[in-house]
């Protein structure tokens, strides 16, 4: 599925770039945008398509191309080279070779943009650019920018991985940017609301309790221990005892990180095992809906699979009977929680073997509910398989 999206964006971007090249060539060799020699900044300057091709390859020698577009063109070409090398390296290192062509095409489109400037700007300054060629060259510039957009869209995953790698090299922690829960309507965080409430209680305690004697001070509750990795961390909220805010309507629950946050902060392999398993389930025709606890997969408005991330592994809850796998090699567990009554079978996914076992459970589920295996190849996997 992802490969098809990459191919579609690559085709659109390549067509736009090719059309821009053809239009430039037609006007460059026609009398509408003919070449010649003029005086620019007090010096003789040759313009036109052939001269611009020569100047493009002289960007590294500004003494031979004394024009302001030399510097701009050199910067853009260097950016194109760096982006192309980074995308090619990642596509080869990750063994996703279908990114190679869009990476090369993106570099070519980015490098073609300074060529347009080298061709058009001097002719405009010299006053030799006619109206019709100027309009078409503006169209060419727009087509090139759109080509860069679609080709960048094709390799967006590689560009994001490059950006994440740069952030990690800079020592930036993603948790620093994790959004805090806010109080609806006023933008206050939960901690700020609690501070306001405590201040209000301290200032109006006599009004609230009248002449009643103040209660004896209670010992502070012991700090709550951090939950173990194996606990049900996929819960959106967990009860916290001894919360003084309950008297004012607070539910006294501790918020959990959302599924999307845990997915973003998970390891690359776990993150892409989820992506591949999601694509495999949707390949059968199920629809998914992401919520705070996890990703729910339904068919004809009935839930059949629920996927979430707990600690450093994936949990797959599925509408199968765990007892049916008692004598098999698949180490499923019974989901005892009431909310999983319709998904009583659970499998932990972390390794490549457990990922393949999860796909086997999905196949068994589809056979159980009467969905035939789709024709054609399975969705392309993005994780690193050993």
């Amino acid at each position: 599925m992802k490969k098809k999206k990459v191919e579609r964006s690559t085709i659109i971007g390549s067509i736009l770039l090719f059309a821009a090249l053809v239009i430039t060539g037609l006007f460059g060799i026609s009398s509408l945008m003919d070449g010649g020699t003029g005086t620019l900044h007090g010096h003789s300057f040759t313009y036109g398509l052939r001269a611009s091709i020569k100047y493009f390859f002289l960007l590294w020698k500004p003494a031979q191309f004394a024009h302001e577009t030399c510097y701009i063109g050199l910067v853009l070409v260097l950016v194109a080279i760096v982006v192309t090398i980074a995308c090619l390296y990642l596509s080869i290192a990750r063994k996703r070779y279908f990114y190679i062509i869009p990476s090369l095409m993106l570099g070519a489109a980015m490098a073609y943009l300074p060529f347009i400037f080298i061709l058009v700007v001097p002719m405009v300054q010299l006053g030799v650019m006619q109206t019709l060629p100027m309009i078409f060259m503006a169209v060419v510039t727009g087509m090139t920018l759109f080509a860069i957009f679609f080709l960048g869209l094709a390799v967006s995953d590689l560009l994001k991985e490059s950006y994440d790698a740069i952030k990690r090299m800079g020592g930036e922690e993603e948790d620093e940017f994790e959004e805090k829960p806010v109080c609806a309507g006023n933008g206050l965080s939960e901690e700020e609301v609690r501070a306001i409430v405590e201040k209000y209680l301290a200032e109006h305690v006599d009004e609230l309790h009248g002449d009643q004697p103040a209660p004896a001070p209670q010992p502070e509750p012991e700090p709550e221990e951090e939950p173990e990795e194996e606990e049900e961390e996929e819960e959106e909220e967990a009860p916290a005892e001894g919360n003084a805010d309950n008297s004012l309507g607070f539910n006294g629950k501790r918020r959990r990180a959302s599924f999307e946050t845990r997915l973003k902060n998970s390891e690359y392999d776990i993150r892409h095992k989820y992506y591949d398993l999601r694509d495999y389930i949707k390949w059968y025709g199920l629809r998914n809906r992401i919520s705070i606890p996890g990703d729910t997969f339904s068919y004809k408005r009935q839930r059949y699979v629920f996927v979430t991330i707990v600690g450093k592994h994936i949990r797959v809850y599925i509408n199968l009977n765990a007892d049916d796998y008692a004598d098999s090699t698949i180490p499923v567990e019974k989901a005892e929680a009431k909310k999983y009554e319709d998904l009583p079978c659970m499998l932990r996914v972390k390794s490549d073997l457990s990922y393949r076992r999860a796909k086997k459970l999905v196949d068994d589920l589809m056979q159980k509910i009467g969905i035939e295996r789709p024709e054609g190849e399975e969705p392309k996997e993005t994780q690193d398989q050993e």
Side-chain angles (χ1 to χ4, degrees):
M1 185 178 297
K2 182 176 292 186
K3 185 177 179 180
K4 290 182 179 179
K5 293 180 180 179
V6 172
E7 291 176 348
R8 183 165 57 248
S9 297
T10 303
I11 291 173
I12 295 174
S14 300
I15 291 174
L16 289 170
L17 180 60
F18 179 75
L21 290 169
V22 170
I23 294 174
T24 304
L26 290 175
F27 275 91
I29 61 177
S30 67
S31 58
L32 290 174
M33 198 169 66
D34 201 4
T37 303
T39 302
L40 186 62
H41 304 318
H43 299 282
S44 177
F45 191 89
T46 304
Y47 58 87
L49 180 63
R50 293 183 180 179
S52 299
I53 295 174
K54 175 185 175 183
Y55 293 147
F56 183 79
F57 291 101
L58 290 176
L59 288 174
W60 315 98
K61 299 179 180 181
Q64 299 183 36
F65 178 35
H67 193 270
E68 51 266 32
T69 54
C70 176
Y71 175 74
I72 298 174
L74 183 59
V75 171
L76 293 176
V77 169
L78 288 175
V79 171
I81 292 173
V82 171
V83 171
T84 304
I85 292 175
C87 291
L88 288 176
Y89 171 78
L90 286 174
S91 59
I92 295 173
R94 301 297 186 187
K95 297 181 180 179
R96 288 176 277 176
Y97 303 111
F98 56 90
Y99 282 117
I100 291 179
I101 293 179
S103 299
L104 294 172
M105 294 301 298
L106 175 61
M110 294 177 67
Y112 186 62
L113 197 59
F115 174 78
I116 297 174
F117 297 154
I118 294 171
L119 173 63
V120 174
V121 174
M123 296 184 70
V124 173
Q125 291 176 325
L126 289 167
V128 296
M129 177 70 77
Q130 300 180 28
T131 302
L132 185 61
M134 183 179 294
I135 294 174
F136 273 92
M137 290 309 297
V139 172
V140 166
T141 304
M143 295 172 67
T144 305
L145 291 173
F146 276 109
I148 293 173
F149 170 78
F150 281 104
L151 293 168
L153 194 64
V155 298
S156 57
D157 287 348
L158 297 181
L159 296 176
K160 183 178 183 302
E161 289 180 24
S162 301
Y163 175 70
D164 292 341
I166 293 173
K167 287 203 302 183
R168 288 193 296 269
M169 289 172 62
E172 182 176 318
E173 296 292 337
E174 291 185 358
D175 291 341
E176 295 177 5
F177 300 94
E178 185 175 330
E179 294 183 358
K180 296 181 179 179
V182 297
C183 182
N186 57 18
L188 295 177
S189 68
E190 187 173 342
E191 289 76 9
E192 292 172 327
V193 172
R194 291 189 181 188
I196 294 172
V197 171
E198 290 174 0
K199 183 179 179 180
Y200 179 86
L201 286 174
E203 294 176 352
H204 299 81
V205 63
D206 293 335
E207 298 177 12
L208 292 173
H209 296 284
D211 296 332
Q212 297 180 5
Q218 299 292 328
E220 293 185 2
E222 295 182 1
E224 192 170 0
E225 296 181 358
E226 290 295 326
E228 296 291 335
E229 181 177 301
E230 293 300 320
E231 290 184 4
E232 293 289 335
E233 294 187 11
E234 70 272 18
E235 295 291 340
E236 175 187 357
E237 298 175 330
E241 299 180 358
N243 195 323
D245 296 334
N246 288 345
S247 61
L248 295 178
F250 288 92
N251 57 17
K253 294 183 178 181
R254 185 176 65 255
R255 288 188 176 273
R256 300 290 189 188
S258 67
F259 172 72
E260 291 183 323
T261 299
R262 281 176 278 152
L263 177 65
K264 180 184 69 173
N265 295 334
S266 63
E267 297 177 355
Y268 175 89
D269 190 53
I270 291 297
R271 185 163 65 251
H272 283 264
K273 275 183 169 58
Y274 157 73
Y275 292 148
D276 295 343
L277 186 60
R278 175 199 63 188
D279 293 344
Y280 188 74
I281 299 173
K282 293 177 67 176
W283 182 53
Y284 273 100
L286 274 67
R287 294 184 177 181
N288 73 313
R289 181 179 63 85
I290 294 178
S291 59
I292 293 177
D295 197 355
T296 302
F297 297 84
S298 305
Y299 180 71
K300 293 183 179 180
R301 298 186 178 182
Q302 181 173 344
R303 182 172 74 158
Y304 284 102
V305 184
F306 176 75
V307 179
T308 188
I309 294 178
V310 179
K312 296 184 178 180
H313 69 270
I314 300 170
R315 288 190 186 179
V316 181
Y317 295 86
I318 193 165
N319 190 341
L320 292 171
N321 189 352
D323 294 333
D324 295 340
Y325 297 89
D327 298 327
S328 72
T329 58
I330 304 180
V332 298
E333 304 174 31
K334 291 184 179 180
E336 303 291 348
K338 185 177 180 180
K339 62 182 178 180
Y340 296 126
E341 286 181 343
D342 58 335
L343 307 173
C345 185
M346 190 269 285
L347 177 67
R348 303 169 191 266
V349 177
K350 185 174 183 180
S351 64
D352 294 341
L353 177 60
S354 58
Y355 166 76
R356 292 194 295 271
R357 286 170 171 170
K359 291 177 63 177
K360 174 64 169 60
L361 292 181
V362 172
D363 293 336
D364 293 348
L365 172 68
M366 298 305 141
Q367 186 176 1
K368 170 187 171 182
I369 61 181
I371 300 178
E372 296 183 358
R373 184 179 177 85
E375 297 180 358
E377 297 182 358
E378 296 181 7
K380 185 69 174 180
E381 295 184 352
T382 61
Q383 59 188 291
D384 293 332
Q385 298 285 358
E386 296 180 356

